[in-house]
Amino acid sequence: EVQLVQSGAEVKKPGESLKISCKVSGYIFTTYWIGWVRQMPGKGLEWMGIIYPSDSDTRYSPSFQGQVTFSADKSISTAYLQWASLKTSDTAMYYCARQTTDNSGPVEYWGQGTLVTVSS
Amino acid sequence: QTVVTQEPSLTVSPGGTVTLTCASSTGAVTSGYYPNWFQQKPGQAPRALIYSTSNKHSWTPARFSGSLLGGKAALTLSGVQPEDEAEYYCLLYYGSTQVFGGGTKLTVL
């Protein structure tokens, strides 16, 4: 059974750093892309970008380029989304999702989401 | 900046049929945009329904179907059930980037 299990909710202050995780099971981690999606409170889904864990090839949405960093640890089948300096506007639910290819493949399985709250 | 547009809200009666659409600011949506559709209920993660315009996942109920209609991607629900009340999002592919639509809130009334 394919599963994407995300790390728990976080409460941070502006300027702090953060790394959230997405641990996968039920398939070979290095053969699918992992995408990240933001959902701000009461708003729609926003595609942030994707990473290919096999070689850490990444594609960032222009809206998120330079604002976040994707990474992956093949040894523990886990993908990461990190911020160097959080802003209050980063408050949102963040989802990871499995995608078969980078430019056409279906987005299939989703994590349960990680709620990030940034407040002073 | 590319914008993907969906109807903000639609209402359908139980047992009825409704079509949601997904338009691109770049022009007509074709199969080369590989439209995906997702359902999201309050407090839940999105769930994939349709990929590459019209392909269903193994878990997608038969009453959901995808197509291209009048230059847009479309999601049709036939024989709507009360549990279909949800937010629906489309996702289009633009080469190395992807863009979600703003979502359609479907009310079953």
Side-chain angles (χ1 to χ4, degrees):
Chain A
E1 180 193 6
V2 174
Q3 287 192 310
L4 287 75
V5 179
Q6 298 186 233
S7 49
E10 301 274 0
V11 179
K12 292 288 191 178
K13 292 185 178 349
E16 292 186 332
S17 62
L18 176 64
K19 194 173 189 177
I20 63 174
S21 66
C22 172
K23 182 171 177 59
V24 315
S25 60
Y27 73 94
I28 300 173
F29 181 54
T30 52
T31 58
Y32 290 86
W33 293 75
I34 292 288
W36 289 95
V37 175
R38 182 175 79 175
Q39 188 166 39
M40 300 176 77
K43 302 297 185 183
L45 305 176
E46 298 175 87
W47 187 80
M48 300 175 70
I50 52 175
I51 182 168
Y52 192 57
S54 179
D55 58 6
S56 292
D57 188 11
T58 56
R59 312 267 190 276
Y60 291 98
S61 162
S63 300
F64 292 93
Q65 178 83 48
Q67 308 304 307
V68 297
T69 303
F70 306 148
S71 60
D73 186 335
K74 292 183 283 189
S75 68
I76 54 172
S77 299
T78 301
Y80 299 97
L81 167 61
Q82 69 180 86
W83 294 260
S85 179
L86 287 160
K87 309 178 186 67
T88 56
S89 58
D90 292 319
T91 294
M93 181 73 83
Y94 293 88
Y95 295 101
C96 63
R98 191 185 88 166
Q99 185 168 324
T100 53
T101 68
D102 62 328
N103 60 4
S104 64
V107 177
E108 305 166 296
Y109 298 94
W110 292 71
Q112 83 278 18
T114 295
L115 181 62
V116 174
T117 303
V118 185
S119 175
S120 54
Chain B
Q1 172 142 339
T2 302
V3 177
V4 176
T5 303
Q6 299 180 242
E7 297 87 359
S9 63
L10 291 170
T11 300
V12 61
S13 299
T17 297
V18 65
T19 297
L20 291 62
T21 67
C22 175
S24 172
S25 62
T26 60
V29 176
T30 65
S31 59
Y33 288 82
Y34 305 96
N36 280 232
W37 290 92
F38 305 91
Q39 178 192 66
Q40 187 180 35
K41 296 183 178 179
Q44 296 184 16
R47 180 174 76 132
L49 293 173
I50 299 287
Y51 65 95
S52 295
T53 304
S54 59
N55 294 282
K56 299 180 187 182
H57 295 279
S58 59
W59 53 81
T60 304
R63 61 184 181 274
F64 290 86
S65 63
S67 64
L68 296 175
L69 201 62
K72 301 178 185 181
L75 175 71
T76 298
L77 288 71
S78 305
V80 172
Q81 302 296 306
E83 60 265 30
D84 296 334
E85 182 163 295
E87 193 87 21
Y88 291 84
Y89 294 92
C90 65
L91 175 69
L92 299 181
Y93 291 66
Y94 297 86
S96 60
T97 191
Q98 297 159 220
V99 181
F100 281 101
T104 295
K105 181 173 174 54
L106 182 66
T107 300
V108 181
L109 206 58

